[in-house]
Amino acid sequence: MEDMTIIEFETFLVELDKNIAKLKSLAAREGDTAASNEAKQLTKERAQLVEKFFRKLTAWDKVLLARHKDRPYTLDYVAALCDDFLELHGDRAFGDDGAVVGGFARMAGRSLMLIGQQKGRDLKERQRRNFGYMKPEGYRKALRLMEMAERFSRPVLTFIDTPGADPNVPSEQRGISEAIARNLREMSVLKTPTVAVVVGEGGSGGALGLAVADRVLMLEHSFYSVIAPEGCASILYRDATRGADAAKAMRVTAQDALELGLVDEIIPEPLGGAHLDVTTTAENLERVVTKHLDDLTALPMGELLEQRGKRLRALGKFEISVDRWRTAG
Amino acid sequence: MPDWFKRSKSPEVPEGAFVKCTGCNAILVTKDFERDNKVCPRCAYHHPLSANERIAMLTDEDSFVEFGNDIAATDPLTFPGYAQKLTAGHSEETGRNDGLVTGRASINSRPVVLAISDFQWGRLAGTMGSVFGEKFAVAADVALAENRPLITFCASGGARMQEGLVSLMQMAKTSHAVAKLRDANIPYIVVLTHPSTGGAVASYASLGDVIYAEPGATVALSGERVAAQAQTHKVPANYRTAEFALEHGMIDRVVHRRDIQSYITRTLLFMQSPSK
């Protein structure tokens, strides 16, 4: 059990549940009290095992949970949270990027601009959404919507869930670097409250391109990283399969980011992960996001921008010293 | 009897009198090579320059006054091997704390603020960690306070993974610094040199009012290895170069190293002199 990843553990639970179900049906069919007791005992032990496993999740487990095939995506949260969502399309220059959705949303009695990275559920949708890798037109669509939100005094809420920006030839041709850079610059001075939530994978600059905000929140089992753990492993250990070691070394979990002072709050997930209970996860998300939006919308615009600027200016860990790294002796 | 088959002693060649061009393998006289700012006269290959060499090439004599070298990294994650790299970088002859060199200077008598990347420093590939971000932000603050243009030379592998997520945030920090310059109409010029990749071009280095690049410099979001893995499309011959970026409208001009000082001066002249 100690060495299992979360995915192996889930497979183990499926087997365990089958056994429990068998015992239960045996008990029901033949009034077998021994079977009934064993089922009860196993059910109890199961709960303990789950709790124990989730108390000691590794950084790599978090990565796997964030990438879990059943992990809720932006549109799942939209369905759970929004009374109305009017999706808008296109960057007005080249195309419409399926890897990001955005539009007018009504959430908890509030109108806001909701923009989120979106992966696909089945192969066809995954391809259409480019596995969540945004292209330049995606960042430009997002910026168009954010600037519209600014004009109509609506807060911006972004959901982050991407392995990274699309690195292929057409994206380089259309200026993927410029598109991300421009978003960073414009989001840093956007005249409306902004909240970003990492709901799954926070993959490098591709994630940051939608995540410069007044408040940055993370779901409990999401991760946020400067480079994919596998990419780091292939540089550091010359072995891409050592992603688990790299994830630990880079401290990619939500809890790490909170300790490093890079995010404001962690949104709890139900035991076992968001995919087991989307409704509860969405409720937690709404509660925390609403609290932060309430705080932010109460601020005068000048103060909001000043706070954001100070926050961005203060990012980083350094000290004042000319000989901090002078070799001893 | 003379020993016909004994090789005569070769004439004394002082150590380092010649260098081989990385681009065309031509053997070049070191003195000429350095006079040409390390550009091959035959194939125009632009060899890497240290920050000090760039400053010497670019600025009026003795005008450069460095600031920010007291900002030091802290190895916030105690990342494997990072402390050794920082120590090695510090022990280089410059004694600097980071690969980004910042300071005030003048170029053809025009006061500027410089932020120049040294790719070699600490064998850290000009990556952007906390010190990079802070020095860049200080440089922008000085530019803003003193109404001086900010000029940056980029040579970077991107964000510094040894500082984890903290380094990714330097992209946001530097881009915000550029936003403040933009809003105050302070000129901001970027020169992309080899290689300008990753987080650097996805932030401050793509935000210049004017962007120049050295011939043949790699300019791309993804590193070579990532790019090779990701390609599912036909790859153009000049892919991921300054020339490719120019062709696709991402930069203003590819400029030979010997001309960069003049281009910067003309650019500033246009931006700063009265219009009539």
Side-chain angles (χ1 to χ4, degrees):
Chain A
M1 202 119 331
E2 298 290 308
D3 300 332
M4 278 187 190
T5 66
I6 175 66
I7 304 300
E8 289 158 353
F9 183 67
E10 283 191 338
T11 312
F12 161 80
L13 288 181
V14 169
E15 287 304 311
L16 186 63
D17 288 343
K18 274 186 202 158
N19 287 337
I20 294 172
K22 264 186 217 158
L23 287 167
K24 275 187 181 162
S25 77
L26 193 68
R29 215 167 43 231
E30 300 176 12
D32 187 336
T33 40
S36 168
N37 286 340
E38 202 181 338
K40 271 182 204 152
Q41 181 62 24
L42 277 180
T43 308
K44 201 174 136 195
E45 279 175 24
R46 183 195 191 281
Q48 286 166 349
L49 282 174
V50 172
E51 200 182 310
K52 197 176 152 207
F53 192 92
F54 269 78
R55 221 181 298 134
K56 298 198 286 195
L57 280 187
T58 64
W60 186 242
D61 286 323
K62 302 266 189 180
V63 172
L64 296 174
L65 273 169
R67 293 175 179 166
H68 197 288
K69 64 178 172 53
D70 299 327
R71 183 94 185 159
Y73 299 146
T74 293
L75 288 176
D76 299 310
Y77 292 117
V78 166
L81 292 175
C82 297
D83 304 321
D84 191 15
F85 179 63
L86 176 52
E87 189 180 347
L88 303 170
H89 292 275
D91 70 343
R92 301 294 189 270
F94 178 80
D96 184 43
D97 188 354
V100 59
V101 296
F104 305 127
R106 289 282 301 172
M107 189 186 110
R110 179 181 259 125
S111 283
L112 47 79
M113 186 64 81
L114 193 151
I115 301 166
Q117 290 161 332
Q118 178 70 30
K119 297 174 179 174
R121 241 356 123 190
D122 57 29
L123 184 62
K124 216 175 144 193
E125 198 201 353
R126 278 190 200 124
Q127 283 170 338
R128 183 161 67 85
R129 302 204 177 275
N130 199 27
F131 304 86
Y133 290 90
M134 277 171 70
K135 296 172 182 172
E137 50 272 27
Y139 292 100
R140 290 174 184 140
K141 168 169 77 175
L143 184 59
R144 176 174 81 85
L145 300 185
M146 289 189 256
E147 287 176 341
M148 183 155 49
E150 174 182 279
R151 283 178 49 228
F152 296 103
S153 306
R154 298 286 176 248
V156 173
L157 173 62
T158 63
F159 288 166
I160 309 304
D161 189 12
T162 180
D166 180 67
N168 287 305
V169 174
S171 286
E172 289 282 7
Q173 285 170 329
R174 296 197 291 276
I176 183 73
S177 310
E178 191 275 346
I180 294 173
R182 179 183 295 258
N183 278 22
L184 303 185
R185 184 184 65 194
E186 297 312 320
M187 291 184 84
S188 80
V189 291
L190 197 75
K191 293 186 194 71
T192 194
T194 51
V195 173
V197 189
V198 183
V199 295
E201 283 189 271
S204 190
L208 188 65
L210 293 187
V212 176
D214 295 309
R215 298 279 196 278
V216 182
L217 316 171
M218 287 181 77
L219 280 187
E220 187 179 352
H221 305 313
S222 65
F223 79 99
Y224 197 177
S225 182
V226 62
I227 178 174
E230 292 86 343
C232 174
S234 74
I235 296 169
L236 193 62
Y237 313 112
R238 307 239 157 239
D239 181 359
T241 62
R242 289 185 61 189
D245 296 324
K248 194 177 164 199
M250 286 194 297
R251 303 190 53 191
V252 301
T253 70
Q255 293 70 27
D256 292 325
L258 188 71
E259 265 176 44
L260 290 165
L262 301 175
V263 303
D264 299 275
E265 191 168 344
I266 294 174
I267 301 169
E269 292 184 30
L271 189 65
H275 59 291
L276 298 185
D277 186 352
V278 184
T279 311
T280 304
T281 312
E283 281 168 9
N284 294 346
L285 204 154
E286 184 188 275
R287 190 182 62 246
V288 178
V289 167
T290 300
K291 180 183 74 186
H292 287 288
L293 281 176
D294 286 344
D295 291 350
L296 294 171
T297 46
L299 292 173
M301 190 52 59
E303 201 170 318
L304 181 85
L305 293 177
E306 197 187 318
Q307 280 186 16
R308 192 191 303 155
K310 277 189 183 154
R311 175 195 175 95
L312 292 166
R313 183 66 184 75
L315 287 169
K317 305 269 177 201
F318 54 86
E319 60 182 39
I320 301 302
S321 160
V322 283
D323 55 4
R324 171 75 165 77
W325 297 101
R326 184 164 292 165
T327 323
Chain B
M1 192 182 114
D3 188 352
W4 299 104
F5 298 101
K6 198 179 162 193
R7 233 185 241 180
S8 63
K9 220 176 150 196
S10 58
E12 287 292 319
V13 177
E15 187 86 5
F18 295 96
V19 289
K20 195 157 95 173
C21 170
T22 313
C24 68
N25 288 330
I27 305 295
L28 308 169
V29 177
T30 304
K31 236 200 285 179
D32 298 346
F33 179 65
E34 284 178 355
R35 181 205 57 210
D36 295 339
N37 294 312
K38 301 194 172 173
V39 178
C40 175
R42 300 196 189 182
C43 73
Y45 186 90
H46 283 49
H47 295 78
L49 290 183
S50 70
N52 283 353
E53 286 169 328
R54 283 210 186 272
I55 290 161
M57 180 190 101
L58 193 68
T59 59
D60 302 342
E61 206 172 345
D62 295 329
S63 73
F64 182 73
V65 181
E66 188 167 351
F67 57 70
N69 195 39
D70 55 347
I71 301 165
T74 59
D75 193 8
L77 311 185
T78 9
F79 195 89
Y82 187 33
Q84 288 90 316
K85 287 196 170 199
L86 292 170
T87 309
H90 189 94
S91 67
E92 288 169 16
E93 47 187 303
T94 58
R96 289 203 174 98
N97 267 335
D98 194 75
L100 186 74
V101 180
T102 48
R104 294 177 183 83
S106 63
I107 297 177
N108 286 323
S109 307
R110 310 192 79 85
V112 297
V113 175
L114 294 177
I116 298 188
S117 278
D118 200 320
F119 190 76
Q120 296 302 325
W121 189 88
R123 305 189 63 168
L124 278 158
T127 47
M128 304 164 70
S130 298
V131 177
F132 183 106
E134 180 64 13
K135 287 179 89 166
F136 189 93
V138 169
D141 288 346
V142 171
L144 199 62
E146 299 175 11
N147 197 19
R148 289 171 178 242
L150 176 63
I151 296 164
T152 193
F153 280 66
C154 175
S156 179
R160 182 173 290 177
M161 68 175 190
Q162 288 86 347
E163 290 186 21
L165 192 60
V166 181
S167 71
L168 187 74
M169 296 305 156
Q170 305 313 307
M171 294 169 62
K173 180 168 175 169
T174 54
S175 300
H176 176 58
V178 176
K180 288 192 282 187
L181 295 180
R182 189 264 318 263
D183 292 349
N185 294 331
I186 306 281
Y188 171 51
I189 300 175
V190 176
V191 182
L192 304 176
T193 74
H194 181 71
S196 293
T197 60
V201 284
S203 64
Y204 78 97
S206 282
L207 297 172
D209 295 312
V210 176
I211 305 176
Y212 295 127
E214 288 196 336
T218 293
V219 175
L221 177 66
S222 46
E224 210 162 333
R225 262 181 286 187
V226 181
Q229 282 164 14
Q231 288 314 330
T232 51
H233 299 77
K234 199 166 165 270
V235 178
N238 66 358
Y239 187 48
R240 306 177 66 251
T241 63
E243 291 74 14
F244 176 87
L246 179 70
E247 189 181 314
H248 293 283
M250 298 307 148
I251 63 173
D252 290 281
R253 200 175 185 98
V254 174
V255 178
H256 192 286
R257 192 174 283 165
R258 69 164 176 260
D259 299 328
I260 194 65
Q261 191 199 45
S262 131
Y263 271 94
I264 289 172
T265 307
R266 285 166 62 197
T267 307
L268 293 181
L269 198 65
F270 183 85
M271 288 168 159
Q272 295 181 301
S273 58
S275 60
K276 266 191 185 175

